[in-house]
Amino acid sequence: MKTLPQHALIDVSAHPTELVDGRLQAVGDELVSELVRLVTEGRGVAVCHGVARTLEHHGLDVHDEQHAAVGRDYLESLFRAFGERIDVAPFSPVAMDYDRIAGMDVDGYNKNTSFTPNGDHTAEREFLTTKCVHFDSATPFVGNIYGPNTNIRGGVPVICDTRAYCQDAGVAPGDLVELMPHSYNVAVREEHAEPILAGYASALDVDLSADLAMVVLLNEVDGGLAHAGSEPRPVDPALPSRRPIRHLEYQFAEGVELAKWFTHYGLDVPAPIMEAPDDASRERYHRGIAPVGTEDGAAG
């Protein structure tokens, strides 16, 4: 599997910041402009990294959870500034009444309980993060903030160029995806996932035990990019493991918007099972793809 190319990466430590009342703020708009350019002008993906060095510049340590929270809030502020600059209509094949960007913190290794991505119209449920090749439903752009991991190897974000795959293989977007039994996300069908991972996938080469990174994607099934994750495993099985993820997405107040999006792709509106996945579902959708790169899980 290829490593995500350098032209998709943004080293945020190269951009000036201010620490004001405990919050990091970007100085100027150059960083957000670069984020907008990478995601919207054809490539569909940008990765912000180097947060540990940015925190260090202000006397903060990414391994201190309170300091890491400052870094996550900083990356979230960049995504929200990105959202203020974007007209989402050209990137969605169906008109959607998005009214906000919402964020949620989850654990990408352990089970999440009493979780819902949108309390307006989706029920709380037990939840394991999706690690197969998939799209998040009904949000044209997503931002996923990863790290710093604790006692985890693997769990590497993988970006899948489904746009190029569909063009090369003559696959219509609606034929690419299927519903998942325990999620509102949509999975790329198995017959397409294997060739995508073999020839159209790139892994993020960032040490997520020592840094924070944000992957921003054009997430739409029609014309966007899918994402996945390699299998996360404990370095020492006797010690607690944690894989923090902050997920950022566009949301809407009315459930009819969700139905509109699924109907566009010829799918029923899902009614996810409320309990944690059984073994078969865990293996297919939640276990993670084969380890990426070197033995410690970094891409190579």
Side-chain angles (χ1 to χ4, degrees), residues 202-217:
S202 301
L204 179 61
D205 188 10
V206 173
D207 182 359
L208 293 175
S209 66
D211 199 4
L212 288 161
M214 178 172 68
V215 179
V216 179
L217 282 177

Side-chain angles (χ1 to χ4, degrees), residues 65-81:
E65 179 52 36
Q66 289 185 327
H67 297 174
V70 173
R72 290 188 196 100
D73 288 346
Y74 173 53
L75 291 175
E76 179 172 343
S77 74
L78 297 179
F79 185 81
R80 291 183 179 278

